């Protein structure tokens, strides 16, 4: 007999880890975390990096698109690399019922401390991701 279980909204899936990896958007550093051995960023932070991040509460969706009209990028002044803590748990990441789209394509997303995180690779339609 095979039993299949599915995570429910709010279930802890694991822990985001502090990382010493430097992540950049438009040549500006952005705070990142390691989730499942991939670099992840907070979707809402992308507003400061030339992206539109629009919440639709009716269908619980988050839409991320490049803001073609953005003339000024206002990244966070200090981005912390957690070299001393690299690999240590930072926040639990939770199953979410929020569906996140980047450039119209559905991407994996997680809830961390009330914010939505996505893998930085999801931003590859807008440029090089390394």
């Amino acid at each position: 007999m095979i039993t299949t279980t599915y995570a429910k909204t709010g279930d802890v899936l694991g822990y985001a880890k502090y990382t010493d990896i430097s992540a950049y958007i438009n040549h500006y550093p952005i705070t990142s975390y390691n989730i499942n051995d991939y670099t992840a960023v907070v979707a809402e932070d992308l507003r400061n990096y030339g992206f539109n991040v629009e919440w639709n509460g009716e269908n619980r969706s988050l839409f991320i698109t490049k803001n073609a009209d953005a003339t000024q990028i206002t990244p966070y002044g200090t981005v912390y690399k957690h070299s001393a803590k690299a690999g240590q748990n930072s926040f639990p990441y939770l199953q979410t019922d929020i569906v996140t789209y980047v450039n119209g394509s559905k991407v994996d997303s997680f809830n961390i401390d009330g914010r939505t995180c996505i893998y930085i690779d999801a931003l590859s339609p807008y440029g090089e991701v390394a």
Side-chain angles (χ1 to χ4, degrees), residues 51-121:
F51 288 87
N52 294 321
V53 180
E54 298 174 14
W55 166 248
N56 182 320
E58 187 174 311
N59 62 9
R60 298 195 53 77
S61 297
L62 191 67
F63 297 91
I64 301 168
T65 55
K66 184 80 171 105
N67 182 349
D69 297 326
T71 58
Q72 185 174 4
I73 295 173
T74 55
Y76 293 108
T78 303
V79 173
Y80 296 99
K81 285 178 38 174
H82 300 282
S83 299
K85 295 182 180 182
Q88 295 180 19
N89 293 345
S90 60
F91 299 101
Y93 64 91
L94 311 175
Q95 178 67 33
T96 183
D97 63 345
I98 295 169
V99 180
T100 303
Y101 298 90
V102 173
N103 198 33
S105 296
K106 183 179 171 184
V107 299
D108 291 331
S109 61
F110 309 93
N111 178 306
I112 292 182
D113 199 29
R115 301 171 296 163
T116 302
C117 279
I118 63 169
Y119 295 127
I120 199 166
D121 290 352

